[in-house]
Amino acid sequence: RLQMNARVLIIEDDRDGRRSVTEAVEDAGFTAMAVASGEDGVAEFRKQPFDVVLTDLMLPGIDGLAVLAGIRKINDKAPILIMTAYGTVSSAVQALKAGAYDYILKPLDLEDIQSKVSRAVETARLRLEVARLSETVHDRYSARSMVAVSEGMKEIIRQVEAVANSNATVL
């Protein structure tokens, strides 16, 4: 579902910046939607799925770190890139510690944005694939996949399910 038709949400209050980032993302082959405020960005992310988010750090209302926290509550796996003209080491570290996927300094290099968004889309695709494979493995090898007819075996399966996620030693 991802790669070239991946959906990218852009949150940028500067109209010219919003337009140029949107064009760069679309030129890279992705579908882009742009909004002007952090509140609108979180609301839009809640309404529809996006594979990657690009947000400015300094926004009117809630800032980029609050956007990051809000989106993390909705989907903790979506890669979020933080853009800022206020490129201090401490704000970069703060954004990365808060769970940002990457950090982009302004003035923006549009080729750099395309490259970083492409990498973030690939990361999102891989995270989705890992989650799908984990679910498949879990379903295939879980106690629920065992077939039992007798009450004695059904009771053993119930016991296996009860202790499966613990570190207890079972004999």
Side-chain angles (χ1 to χ4, degrees):
R1 166 175 130 54
L2 286 169
Q3 210 43 31
M4 289 322 256
N5 59 348
R7 294 174 41 82
V8 179
L9 176 62
I10 299 160
I11 307 167
E12 168 63 81
D13 59 321
D14 175 66
R15 188 176 67 227
D16 292 335
R18 192 168 54 245
R19 185 175 54 245
S20 64
V21 171
T22 300
E23 287 173 5
V25 167
E26 289 173 342
D27 287 349
F30 306 115
T31 301
M33 176 179 196
V35 296
S37 74
E39 292 88 351
D40 289 347
V42 173
E44 209 49 58
F45 195 90
R46 187 172 282 115
K47 272 195 264 180
Q48 56 185 310
F50 288 92
D51 302 300
V52 174
V53 177
L54 238 67
T55 183
D56 195 1
L57 183 61
M58 303 302 280
L59 293 165
I62 66 170
D63 69 3
L65 293 177
V67 167
L68 176 67
I71 289 174
R72 283 272 166 266
K73 288 179 185 170
I74 301 164
N75 177 350
D76 65 346
K77 301 217 180 327
I80 302 168
L81 294 96
I82 304 283
M83 305 177 287
T84 186
Y86 304 92
T88 65
V89 172
S90 65
S91 65
V93 169
Q94 187 180 6
L96 294 171
K97 280 185 177 179
Y101 175 78
D102 208 341
Y103 190 81
I104 303 170
L105 293 177
K106 292 180 178 180
L108 300 170
D109 174 341
L110 298 180
E111 285 181 15
D112 185 44
I113 286 178
Q114 290 173 331
S115 169
K116 287 183 177 184
V117 168
S118 293
R119 240 187 355 260
V121 165
E122 180 64 13
T123 296
R125 187 192 66 73
L126 290 171
R127 287 176 180 172
L128 194 64
E129 183 70 11
V130 167
R132 190 188 63 73
L133 289 172
S134 293
E135 190 175 305
T136 300
V137 167
H138 181 266
D139 288 346
R140 183 173 295 157
Y141 297 107
S142 73
R144 289 176 299 196
S145 66
M146 290 190 260
V147 178
V149 177
S150 75
E151 282 307 312
M153 279 305 295
K154 288 179 182 177
E155 178 57 30
I156 288 173
I157 290 172
R158 279 192 287 277
Q159 291 174 6
V160 166
E161 288 174 335
V163 297
N165 289 327
S166 76
N167 290 326
T169 303
V170 179
L171 176 60

